[in-house]
Amino acid sequence: MKPIVAFFKTVPTVLLLLALLLTLPISADGVFTERSENGGTAYRNRLFFFGESTTAHLRSRGVLEGGTSTDRVIAARSGTMMLNRRTPSAHVVEPRSGKEMTVTEAVAALRPEILVLSFGLNGIVGFLSAKESYTEPYRALIRSVRKASPETVVILQTVYPVANDPSEWKFHQSPAEINRGIERLNGWLPEIAASEGAFLADTASVLRDGDGFLRKDYSADGIHLTREGYEQVLLYLETHMAEVPE
Amino acid sequence: MKRTAFFLLAFSLLFLPACRASQPYRNDLSAQRLAEIGAEAAAMEEAQAANAEELADMIGTEAELPDMVVYYSANGNSLDEFGIWRTDGDAVKTVVPILRSYLDKTYENNRAYYDSYIPRETSKLRDAEIRVYGSYVVYAVLSAESRARFFAAIEENLAVN
């Protein structure tokens, strides 16, 4: 009798452990793009970008293929974008045709091999007061990208720091407070990436000075980057290449 | 005599707002139809209807959505938006605070961004208005001129003649 009792005590425990293992979330640590060989311009030319004005300025700085006429940046005519539930339906200029259409339509038209997303500074006050106002629209955006172009590899970027430069400052909060908020947002990005099968590139890490502010030599106006700042971001992406399926 | 007449007139004027509020309105127009009328009056550029997910996110519910239509401008330079929520009876009293909360949060949470990039638009959100027409709760985030035309069209189409 005892072996039978032992069996029935053991099996449910084993089954329970197996069930727990299978339902454990994907490790958020595994989403970061890891150090790789330098993919250089060849890799850079496979990237498309969509995000806030810090992304749109990639075009004006001329750091991508095509220079200031690059067709690798999806942006609204206003040159900026805020992440919310309406972002997939927001009107942007599809860079190859020059036509205005929704974000989802632009992604479907371009079928980017790799799409680099960057959101967080615009609307940060609201995001910090309600985490889901950041995480859920970001997830929805990634899903809309996947629906429009299933093969696209999505890379999220950590939110860039802001500079300690009050002269052009537009926020009510100080740069230090904004950077603390940015770090909170960056702490949420791994779980977003993990849950949506996206990569996360810690590009913000190459932009910070010793105090966590955007380096002055990378800062154009406290928020947007200089050409050199964007070159550092692109170098990070090129040396931390995402795995793209064959 | 004149003084009495004056006080009688003044006293009766106190009831005018209540009379306006209790003026009967139609309740047979769908929120969609009313929204189309409003969109034409507001002459909103790049008007886009909010989808179900966006509506649920706005009003913070995962329950079945009400008869509600929201139009907003898909142009990133415009904050133009309006919404029509058709409900009945006492439910109207719960709708107004929901919409007020949505508008206030949108303004407060995004003011830095709007003031920075589209400062002329922020006043539309700051001055957003909610009005009740019987079974309809209507809000508008529009310029003063567009808002006047918009609400005039809503009133005209809902008032019982």
Side-chain angles (χ1 to χ4, degrees):
Chain A
M1 206 54 188
K2 281 186 182 176
I4 296 174
V5 170
F7 175 78
F8 280 105
K9 277 186 179 175
T10 310
V11 169
T13 307
V14 170
L15 287 174
L16 182 60
L17 283 171
L18 274 173
L20 281 173
L21 279 169
L22 288 170
T23 54
L24 276 175
I26 299 166
S27 167
D29 291 335
V31 300
F32 282 94
T33 52
E34 297 190 349
R35 185 103 196 157
S36 65
E37 60 179 359
N38 189 335
T41 323
Y43 181 75
R44 183 186 294 201
N45 291 345
R46 294 160 71 189
L47 304 173
F48 283 76
F49 296 84
F50 174 53
E52 303 170 320
S53 56
T54 46
T55 292
H57 281 213
L58 277 163
R59 191 167 48 205
S60 60
R61 300 286 185 254
V63 291
L64 298 172
E65 187 182 29
T68 55
S69 301
T70 184
D71 61 0
R72 302 302 160 81
V73 177
I74 302 169
R77 285 202 195 282
S78 64
T80 190
M81 183 69 57
M82 188 169 71
L83 179 68
N84 56 40
R85 278 283 190 186
R86 296 174 181 175
T87 303
S89 307
H91 284 184
V92 292
V93 176
E94 192 274 282
R96 290 205 166 142
S97 65
K99 290 182 183 169
E100 205 155 20
M101 57 186 73
T102 68
V103 170
T104 311
E105 288 166 343
V107 170
L110 289 168
R111 300 275 176 172
E113 186 180 358
I114 305 170
L115 180 62
V116 183
L117 301 177
S118 183
F119 291 95
L121 186 58
N122 290 340
I124 189 169
V125 170
F127 298 151
L128 294 173
S129 68
K131 178 182 173 182
E132 63 276 8
S133 67
Y134 182 65
T135 59
E136 296 318 296
Y138 222 153
R139 288 193 167 101
L141 175 61
I142 297 167
R143 286 176 200 157
S144 71
V145 166
R146 285 268 156 66
K147 198 172 169 186
S149 179
E151 295 79 28
T152 295
V153 170
V154 175
I155 301 176
L156 311 185
Q157 289 192 80
T158 43
V159 185
Y160 303 162
V162 298
N164 193 13
D165 183 4
S167 61
E168 300 210 42
W169 199 238
K170 294 176 175 120
F171 288 88
H172 297 295
Q173 296 81 3
S174 69
E177 282 176 287
I178 291 293
N179 277 337
R180 282 195 290 274
I182 284 173
E183 283 314 297
R184 277 182 63 197
L185 260 57
N186 285 341
W188 299 337
L189 286 170
E191 71 184 68
I192 298 171
S195 67
E196 302 305 318
F199 289 98
L200 177 57
D202 191 13
T203 45
S205 63
V206 300
L207 300 173
R208 295 187 196 107
D209 64 17
D211 296 317
F213 292 105
L214 175 62
R215 279 175 50 162
K216 285 195 167 29
D217 51 338
Y218 295 160
S219 167
D221 59 5
I223 294 171
H224 303 99
L225 308 185
T226 58
R227 185 186 170 97
E228 180 54 28
Y230 284 113
E231 285 290 357
Q232 292 301 314
V233 165
L234 291 169
L235 179 60
Y236 184 95
L237 291 170
E238 289 161 3
T239 54
H240 295 73
M241 292 191 287
E243 293 165 26
V244 179
E246 294 293 328
Chain B
M1 186 68 180
K2 280 185 183 175
R3 190 182 286 184
T4 307
F6 170 78
F7 279 112
L8 274 173
L9 178 64
F11 189 68
S12 63
L13 284 173
L14 285 173
F15 290 94
L16 262 182
C19 287
R20 184 163 177 251
S22 65
Q23 177 185 348
Y25 291 103
R26 298 170 63 177
N27 63 359
D28 58 331
L29 283 182
S30 67
Q32 178 61 44
R33 179 64 195 124
L34 202 57
E36 288 163 6
I37 293 167
E40 196 179 327
M44 188 188 292
E45 283 184 12
E46 298 180 59
Q48 185 147 297
N51 61 31
E53 272 190 350
E54 290 164 357
L55 288 175
D57 195 49
M58 271 178 65
I59 60 178
T61 180
E62 294 189 7
E64 191 178 324
L65 285 173
D67 185 8
M68 180 182 182
V69 174
V70 168
Y71 275 29
Y72 61 87
S73 175
N75 182 330
N77 287 328
S78 170
L79 288 181
D80 282 0
E81 178 178 331
F82 70 80
I84 314 277
W85 190 326
R86 183 184 176 209
T87 182
D88 47 43
D90 288 338
V92 164
K93 291 178 201 164
T94 60
V95 169
V96 172
I98 291 172
L99 291 177
R100 189 77 260 164
S101 171
Y102 160 70
L103 292 167
D104 289 347
K105 271 189 199 167
T106 306
Y107 176 61
E108 285 306 322
N109 290 345
N110 304 310
R111 192 165 48 162
Y113 167 63
Y114 295 146
D115 283 345
S116 184
Y117 287 102
I118 41 175
R120 276 182 287 192
E121 294 292 305
T122 316
S123 59
K124 290 180 187 176
L125 191 50
R126 184 195 64 214
D127 300 337
E129 203 175 331
I130 303 173
R131 293 193 191 180
V132 178
Y133 299 89
S135 301
Y136 302 86
V137 185
V138 181
Y139 77 88
V141 179
L142 299 165
S143 68
E145 298 78 18
S146 295
R147 202 163 67 235
R149 286 198 311 271
F150 170 77
F151 280 122
I154 300 294
E155 173 87 36
E156 186 186 328
N157 282 272
L158 286 181
V160 172
N161 295 316

